[in-house]
Amino acid sequence: MIFLFVIPMLAGFGNYIVPLQIGALDMAFPRVNALSFWMLPLAGLVLYSSYLLGGPADAGWTQYAPLSEGVGAQGNSIGIDLWIVALLLVGTASILGAVNFITTIFNMRAPGMTMFRMPLFTWTILVTSLLVLLATPVFTSALVMLLIDRNLGGSFFNPANGGIAVLWQNVFWFYSHPAVYVMVLPGMGIISDVLPVFSRKPLFGYKAFVFATAGIGALGFSVWAHHMFVTGQVLLPFFSIMTFLIAVPTGVKFFNWIATLVKGQITFSTAMLFAIGFLTMFLIGGIDGVFLASPPVDFALTETYWVVAHIHYVLFGGSVFAVYAGFYYWFPKFSGRKLKEGLGRLHFWLQFIGFNLTFFSMHILGLLGMPRRIQDYAPLKDWVGLNQLQTVGALLIALSTAPFLANVVMTLRRKDRDPEDPWEGNTLEWYTSSPPPAHNFDSLPEIHSERPLFDLRHADELTVHPDATTTGAR
């Protein structure tokens, strides 16, 4: 979900949309881009080949050492080695992509496109790329140390040989908490481009949003140890305060999004429905995290299904809903055709209902003490019904992909085409044809704000006419 869907999908949006939004002909390093892309299917093949070669990695999705050093259910499974190699490939691909994004955004913007005139999706990709560049090498070092421990007689994580068991957790979470924002910030950027278009208003507080995005990126490196409160090896007050503090820039963004919607001429397109779904579901996930930021509460809820609910409301309710919002919003740019709204709404409601059936009940199970990271659960009366409800919800989520895939196939088979800019968008990607030519643009408009197409459509209204009175009629 993380390494082979959410991160590559959002990076894919970035590769296609960022050059268009900043008026560039292409990414700065196209061949590096291709190398970054082809590492991903290779990593997938390496990862899934473990099913044929002795079994997959068997120490949980976090692969906590020293358990992952050969004490798992299948002993010294080759699956963990293949997992390490696959993640090294994915990490290398992410680093190459981050360098490409940063270079492109800093050096290839169109004339007039200053930093504070960039679309917010581009801003979030920039901050995300900085996070990737700073955090991924740390995780890479952890993977290499684990590979050495498993195959070359090292002892980084094994206390029996002088290692430090909690070292893996520190290094893993130092990467993995910024990785949450790697998966969420581009989604926030998508939502920040969608909401103004379908509410017919500029985003409220553009610069505040930019600074909040940068604040999340900076604070993201100071909260990793809230995953480790119960280890007794971290300074609880500091990491608790920093975790509460990182909620502040996210709160600023929510204020901006809601203020954008207030008194707007809202059109409930499928993209807008998924954007609003993002707002509501991510809000629940964020509030869950505020509870867990308090060490006494965390002591009671850690390793329970409350945490499973929290992370899925953030990464599914956040990232995946945002991915679909971006898909419905930019599909006309990719193909020249809008996806069918009827099938889109069916997709949204099936996914929205299925998602909440699956994950909201996990809060209750967490409060009832059901532990996570176990293969099966005890057949307690209060647990069985909620788990069965989750199964129904998961089936609904799976079912929801059917109208989406049918929609894509039916739309691509249509002979007719929709207008080049069907939404009356604000940003430069809608200035060129849909889909764009290989060189992206034949010409570019003058750029005076973060909404150049809005300015272009309303140029006559914004121009001071020669016969204007001293009151400044426009």
Side-chain angles (χ1 to χ4, degrees):
M1 179 183 77
I2 293 172
F3 290 110
L4 295 177
F5 174 71
V6 175
I7 291 178
M9 183 66 73
L10 292 169
F13 276 130
N15 272 284
Y16 197 100
I17 298 299
V18 165
L20 292 171
Q21 287 196 334
I22 64 174
L25 302 182
D26 197 351
M27 295 290 286
F29 308 117
R31 292 184 179 179
V32 173
N33 222 17
L35 175 62
S36 174
F37 169 77
W38 286 110
M39 281 184 168
L40 294 174
L42 176 60
L45 289 173
V46 170
L47 181 67
Y48 292 118
S49 68
S50 60
Y51 285 96
L52 302 175
L53 300 174
D58 57 358
W61 77 271
T62 57
Q63 298 296 315
Y64 275 173
L67 178 64
S68 54
E69 296 198 339
V71 197
Q74 299 178 6
N76 197 25
S77 160
I78 192 176
I80 296 177
D81 292 327
L82 293 171
W83 179 87
I84 293 170
V85 174
L87 263 60
L88 287 171
L89 288 169
V90 172
T92 304
S94 296
I95 292 170
L96 293 174
V99 171
N100 213 349
F101 279 125
I102 293 168
T103 306
T104 302
I105 292 169
F106 276 124
N107 292 292
M108 299 181 67
R109 299 192 307 277
M113 178 72 72
T114 63
M115 294 295 287
F116 283 105
R117 291 176 183 171
M118 291 197 310
L120 288 166
F121 177 69
T122 300
W123 261 112
T124 56
I125 290 291
L126 175 60
V127 175
T128 297
S129 300
L130 292 170
L131 288 175
V132 168
L133 204 58
L134 294 170
T136 306
V138 177
F139 186 44
T140 302
S141 69
L143 293 170
V144 171
M145 286 189 285
L146 183 59
L147 195 66
I148 291 171
D149 275 15
R150 287 176 52 80
N151 296 282
L152 299 175
S155 58
F156 290 103
F157 307 114
N158 191 342
N161 298 322
I164 305 171
V166 80
L167 174 61
W168 172 268
Q169 289 192 46
N170 272 294
V171 182
F172 178 88
W173 289 116
F174 186 83
Y175 162 78
S176 294
H177 201 86
V180 171
Y181 301 112
V182 168
M183 291 178 274
V184 168
L185 284 177
M188 290 177 168
I190 293 171
I191 301 308
S192 302
D193 279 0
V194 169
L195 291 181
V197 170
F198 294 105
S199 61
R200 292 293 172 244
K201 285 178 63 183
L203 185 80
F204 183 89
Y206 170 88
K207 287 189 177 180
F209 193 98
V210 170
F211 289 127
T213 301
I216 289 174
L219 291 169
F221 287 98
S222 63
V223 296
W224 81 92
H226 67 214
H227 296 272
M228 302 169 56
F229 281 166
V230 295
T231 64
Q233 301 295 309
V234 299
L235 183 61
L236 299 181
F238 173 81
F239 287 104
S240 177
I241 290 169
M242 296 307 293
T243 305
F244 281 117
L245 188 59
I246 202 171
V248 174
T250 305
V252 170
K253 292 188 175 190
F254 267 94
F255 181 87
N256 291 355
W257 288 324
I258 294 170
T260 302
L261 295 174
V262 171
K263 296 184 179 180
Q265 300 175 18
I266 298 175
T267 303
F268 289 102
S269 67
T270 306
M272 187 65 160
L273 288 175
F274 274 103
I276 294 172
F278 169 96
L279 294 184
T280 53
M281 298 302 95
F282 187 76
L283 177 62
I284 293 173
I287 293 172
D288 293 346
V290 171
F291 281 103
L292 295 171
S294 172
V297 178
D298 184 83
F299 292 159
L301 294 177
T302 192
E303 303 306 337
T304 72
Y305 258 61
W306 178 283
V307 183
V308 182
H310 162 61
I311 194 63
H312 283 89
Y313 267 87
V314 170
L315 291 186
F316 195 129
S319 299
V320 177
F321 273 75
V323 163
Y324 280 123
F327 218 101
Y328 281 95
Y329 178 58
W330 282 315
F331 197 81
K333 177 52 56 181
F334 303 151
S335 68
R337 304 169 182 87
K338 292 166 57 177
L339 291 166
K340 295 179 181 295
E341 288 293 317
L343 285 173
R345 290 188 176 94
L346 177 62
H347 170 208
F348 169 77
W349 285 112
L350 285 174
Q351 179 173 303
F352 186 83
I353 294 169
F355 171 78
N356 282 286
L357 286 177
T358 303
F359 297 110
F360 191 82
S361 56
M362 291 183 180
H363 295 98
I364 304 170
L365 285 171
L367 294 172
L368 293 173
M370 180 173 161
R372 62 174 176 152
R373 296 176 180 166
I374 56 170
Q375 184 174 3
D376 202 355
Y377 59 92
L380 301 180
K381 179 181 177 181
D382 292 337
W383 293 5
V384 173
L386 291 173
N387 276 279
Q388 291 172 342
L389 185 66
Q390 291 166 21
T391 301
V392 173
L395 291 172
L396 271 180
I397 293 173
L399 181 63
S400 74
T401 61
F404 171 70
L405 295 174
N407 202 349
V408 171
V409 172
M410 293 168 63
T411 301
L412 290 176
R413 293 184 63 171
R414 275 173 43 202
K415 300 297 184 184
D416 60 315
R417 299 175 67 84
D418 289 307
E420 303 286 5
D421 180 10
W423 314 123
E424 292 191 358
N426 295 325
T427 44
L428 275 183
E429 73 267 27
W430 298 108
Y431 183 73
T432 186
S433 61
S434 298
H439 52 279
N440 283 349
F441 295 96
D442 293 323
S443 63
L444 285 169
E446 292 186 17
I447 299 169
H448 301 286
S449 75
E450 73 275 13
R451 299 193 298 163
L453 261 66
F454 177 89
D455 297 342
L456 189 65
R457 281 194 300 272
H458 298 275
D460 292 339
E461 302 168 28
L462 298 172
T463 301
V464 178
H465 295 290
D467 59 346
T469 67
T470 55
T471 57
R474 292 176 182 269

